Amino acid sequence: MSNRLIAKALFVCLTSLLLGVHARAHDCLRSGPMLGYSEMTEVIIWLQTKHPCTAQVRFWKRGQPETARLSEIVKTSATSDHIARFRLSALAFGTRYDYEVYLDGERLSLPYETSFQTQPMWRWRTDPPTFKFAFGSCAYINDPPFDRPGPPYGAGYEIFQAIAAQKPDFMIWLGDNVYYREADWLNEAAMRYRYAHTRALPELQPLLASVHHYATWDDHDYGPNDSDRSFRGREWSLRVFKDYWANPSYGTVETPGVFTSFEWGDVEFFLLDDRFHRSPNKMPPEPEKAMFGPAQMRWLMEALRSSDATFKIIVAGNQMLNPLTFFEAFGNYPEEQKRLFDFIRTARISGVLFLSGDRHHTELIKRIEPGLYPLYDFTSSPLTSGGSRIEREANNSARVPGTWVTNGTRNFGMIEVSGPAKDRKLTLRTLDQKGRELWRHEIRAAELSFPVSP
């Protein structure tokens, strides 16, 4: 045999071997890798396999392969839903890292960027960093055996590619991040199936792999439609949420739930839980009727009072400020809503902005309360579920003109935080499923502040 033929045979054998290795690694992966929270020196990476595998992450500072490190090896198993988490610590702050995943010792070859970042150490050194983040709600992924008859309710999955193309630093999921069907909320195993099915959507993977993710929930990823604290499966649902997201915390030692907080630059985010402690919507008005409950509200108020962030963004599944309360909204819990407004006023908490989902349309609500600066609620919905247009809400005097996105237009929100420390601003935008801008609105920190006392 000639040298040329020998070389060709070796090339074919080596190629087949490598293809076989990559096929085995891909055969093991179900979804992810997904980036969870990011701090200055620590991040978390999540993934799920189809069956028991060993998993490991190799990571290095971008452009410096000599800095490569290996995570601990994690063995996935059925008892943990074949989920692996990698908490990577002792990282350099303000640094972009590239990473790769090994399954059963073989490198996973992915056709998109896999990278994460740590937050910069900026206080007492520079102006706060410029950054941007994406957000949205209502992500319905079709599953014909479980779906209702008729046209598919989910579509426009390319929206996740449009979000990734914006290169946000992170994304906040506002609730209804999966849609439990009737069979799903009857037991924990079915809930886990629904989450695993949604998370494995191919169009979602590039976004998961290079953008950090934070989440709260609403009714459809908690239990049945409009569900509340009486839902018998709330403990199952909480366990599943904790397994499939990688937030920095979940509730407190004393008060269970998915509420948490995190900082990015000079902004602090407060993700609320509008289900676990919720009184039923149909309960008559009374002082005890609550969407968040006294313990969670106390946590929020204390956290707001302790925060020195320029902007304090409060995130909830339901609309927080809409004066029209035909559907689920904080306004249907007037005593609790008033308590929050009164606290912001008397404690002079500056920089508050609300984000919400749920409604299958998008709008920016501006509410004027006595003795308060203007309060804004940016509602963003839907990502991939069906849309809606409610004519009796068409003439909402609290809506900022030009911000109502309806009639089934799938969309997502983007906010950029920029400007020097003494003149920070928020640039709010809504983009459609192809990434085309639909509207934008600017809010400066000075607008969300109380007058300086003489």
Side-chain angles (χ1 to χ4, degrees), residues 232-247:
R232 68 171 187 170
R234 67 176 188 160
E235 298 287 351
W236 315 332
S237 190
L238 181 57
R239 282 196 295 269
V240 174
F241 184 97
K242 289 180 178 180
D243 282 348
Y244 277 84
W245 293 105
N247 286 349

Side-chain angles (χ1 to χ4, degrees), residues 33 45 47 49 53-59 69-76 84-86 88 99-108:
I45 299 178
L47 63 82
T49 62
C53 297
T54 60
Q56 191 174 31
V57 170
R58 180 175 177 266
F59 57 100
R69 294 163 52 190
L70 286 170
S71 72
E72 294 184 356
I73 295 175
V74 177
K75 186 171 179 58
T76 66
R85 291 169 180 265
F86 306 92
L88 310 181
Y99 71 94
E100 55 193 12
V101 174
Y102 289 78
L103 299 177
D104 284 342
E106 309 295 350
R107 186 175 68 86
L108 183 66

Side-chain angles (χ1 to χ4, degrees), residues 132-344:
K132 58 183 178 180
F133 62 96
F135 52 96
S137 66
C138 306
Y140 189 100
I141 308 305
N142 298 323
D143 191 2
F146 291 85
D147 294 341
R148 298 178 184 181
Y153 190 57
Y157 301 156
E158 68 269 22
I159 195 169
F160 298 119
Q161 295 163 320
I163 297 172
Q166 291 293 315
K167 296 191 177 302
D169 293 284
F170 58 94
M171 179 169 177
I172 301 177
W173 297 75
L174 303 173
D176 295 340
N177 309 314
V178 306
Y179 273 72
Y180 289 143
R181 291 13 171 217
E182 296 91 326
D184 297 336
W185 61 67
L186 298 177
N187 61 80
E188 184 173 338
M191 289 178 168
R192 292 182 179 279
Y193 164 79
R194 180 58 51 211
Y195 251 104
H197 176 270
T198 297
R199 187 62 58 82
L201 181 75
E203 291 88 342
L204 184 56
Q205 304 314 303
L207 177 63
L208 296 178
S210 61
V211 173
H212 293 271
H213 296 270
Y214 301 83
T216 188
W217 62 16
D218 198 33
D219 52 345
H220 293 293
D221 49 346
Y222 167 76
N225 185 51
D226 295 352
S227 45
D228 52 58
R229 66 190 180 199
S230 68
F231 171 47
R232 68 171 187 170
R234 67 176 188 160
E235 298 287 351
W236 315 332
S237 190
L238 181 57
R239 282 196 295 269
V240 174
F241 184 97
K242 289 180 178 180
D243 282 348
Y244 277 84
W245 293 105
N247 286 349
S249 65
Y250 307 90
T252 65
V253 173
E254 303 82 9
T255 308
V258 302
F259 59 95
T260 188
S261 65
F262 71 95
E263 295 179 58
W264 202 289
D266 61 333
V267 181
E268 190 162 4
F269 297 82
F270 306 89
L271 278 59
L272 300 184
D273 181 337
D274 68 346
R275 294 294 159 184
F276 201 86
H277 303 280
R278 186 190 193 108
S279 304
N281 294 320
K282 295 179 181 179
M283 291 290 287
E286 57 184 5
E288 293 76 24
K289 184 178 181 181
M291 192 158 87
F292 302 109
Q296 186 179 182
M297 285 296 291
R298 183 168 55 252
W299 168 85
L300 174 62
M301 291 177 185
E302 291 176 353
L304 288 171
R305 194 69 185 88
S306 298
S307 177
D308 62 358
T310 304
F311 298 108
K312 304 163 186 70
I313 297 183
I314 300 174
V315 179
N318 280 179
Q319 288 192 303
M320 297 292 286
L321 302 181
N322 197 340
L324 303 182
T325 56
F326 305 126
F327 303 93
E328 289 195 308
F330 197 26
N332 288 319
Y333 299 80
E335 293 292 332
E336 194 174 47
Q337 186 185 59
K338 180 179 182 300
R339 184 184 174 201
L340 180 58
F341 290 169
D342 288 348
F343 173 77
I344 294 172

